Amino acid sequence: MRTVLSSRISQIFFFLVFSISCATFLPVAQGKSKEKPKTFSFHLMGELYNLDPVFLRGSSGSYLFNNVYSSLYRYHSQKGLIPEGAKKCQWLSHNKKTLRCILNTKMKWSNGEPVLAQHYLTTFRRIVDPAVKSVQSELLINLMNAKAILSGKKSAKELGVSAPDAQTLMFRFAQVDHDFLYKLTYPSLAPIYKLPLVKRSNAQQLISNGPYVIQSWVPGQKIQLKRNSFYFK
């Protein structure tokens, strides 16, 4: 029994290889060949069933989505919170019940189009929509009307987040959430380009805003990513 189990574990690690191209293409002198792109592989403990970050579960999904999507902030182990999709976020009230985030205009989708406040708004409203049944809805539970929306008493459009213009997000809270800026690092709260999202069988068509895009996905074997040429371009 032990031999069979060991063999099964080996197969799981073999088939779920996460290969990312880390190449930086530089000009080369005429007559000289280009160096082969550098790559590294990462073993995932499980395979995702869809490309929707609001259904994120487990470390495997977090690792993939953190490379494919970018949220308003990113967390660095030494530097702490680093603005990414946001240029800056600022509390506008002394009791921390209102937060304004100005977007980073350098953030673009993998097709070259700008990431707008409405793209984030789509994610925030979906994640608390009871029809979607996202396990990540707790991230926004302290926003105004979030609990009423989840219980079906209000529409998702009444969530305490708005986009007064294309580059601004306003958050209003029913109760103070001291960890909210850290929650904004979660890939579950990354913007969505458009709905419905592409299926896993067409993963290479996914338009995302992270440092990498999906180049290919062979179910049961590997996911290969390549550099997003529009990332902070």
Side-chain angles (χ1 to χ4, degrees):
M1 179 63 180
R2 182 175 300 175
T3 303
V4 174
L5 180 59
S6 176
S7 175
R8 178 55 179 163
I9 292 175
S10 298
Q11 289 177 21
I12 291 174
F13 279 114
F14 175 79
F15 285 118
L16 296 179
V17 177
F18 188 34
S19 179
I20 299 181
S21 172
C22 301
T24 301
F25 299 98
L26 301 174
V28 294
Q30 188 173 1
K32 293 184 179 180
S33 60
K34 295 181 179 180
E35 293 184 3
K36 292 183 179 180
K38 298 178 180 179
T39 62
F40 73 89
S41 297
F42 186 88
H43 297 282
L44 297 179
M45 292 298 294
E47 187 171 19
L48 283 72
Y49 291 98
N50 63 60
L51 298 168
D52 195 336
V54 304
F55 296 116
L56 174 62
R57 288 177 181 268
S59 59
S60 294
S62 293
Y63 191 88
L64 174 62
F65 285 147
N66 272 317
N67 281 284
V68 174
Y69 293 103
S70 288
S71 301
L72 289 170
Y73 279 85
R74 189 174 290 270
Y75 184 78
H76 190 279
S77 60
Q78 296 178 335
K79 299 178 181 179
L81 286 174
I82 299 175
E84 190 170 32
K87 181 179 180 180
K88 65 176 181 178
C89 290
Q90 181 181 9
W91 294 103
L92 300 183
S93 56
H94 69 280
N95 59 358
K96 292 192 174 183
K97 289 288 188 73
T98 305
L99 177 70
R100 179 177 63 195
C101 291
I102 306 299
L103 300 190
N104 189 334
T105 56
K106 293 183 179 180
M107 178 63 70
K108 293 181 172 61
W109 293 106
S110 53
N111 62 0
E113 295 181 18
V115 177
L116 305 176
Q118 185 63 43
H119 295 130
Y120 285 95
L121 204 56
T122 297
T123 292
F124 297 137
R125 289 174 175 174
R126 285 187 72 232
I127 209 169
V128 297
D129 187 340
V132 175
K133 298 179 181 180
S134 171
V135 296
Q136 302 295 328
S137 59
E138 286 293 321
L139 294 172
L140 304 179
I141 198 66
N142 292 317
L143 285 178
M144 191 175 292
N145 296 328
K147 293 180 180 179
I149 295 168
L150 287 166
S151 63
K153 296 178 181 178
K154 289 193 175 185
S155 165
K157 292 183 179 181
E158 297 179 79
L159 182 67
V161 57
S162 60
D165 59 60
Q167 301 298 328
T168 306
L169 287 167
M170 295 290 294
F171 298 91
R172 293 177 175 81
F173 295 82
Q175 57 188 49
V176 178
D177 190 337
H178 296 291
D179 296 324
F180 191 70
L181 292 181
Y182 288 91
K183 292 177 180 179
L184 292 179
T185 66
Y186 280 58
S188 302
L189 299 182
I192 293 296
Y193 179 67
K194 69 176 182 179
L195 295 171
L197 289 170
V198 299
K199 295 182 179 180
R200 191 175 64 169
S201 56
N202 296 314
Q204 71 279 4
Q205 297 177 14
L206 178 70
I207 296 174
S208 57
N209 70 325
Y212 297 95
V213 294
I214 297 176
Q215 184 174 20
S216 64
W217 188 324
V218 183
Q221 295 186 35
K222 68 178 180 179
I223 304 168
Q224 186 166 354
L225 308 184
K226 65 178 181 180
R227 186 172 62 90
N228 177 6
S229 59
F230 287 101
Y231 181 68
F232 278 106
K233 185 175 181 180

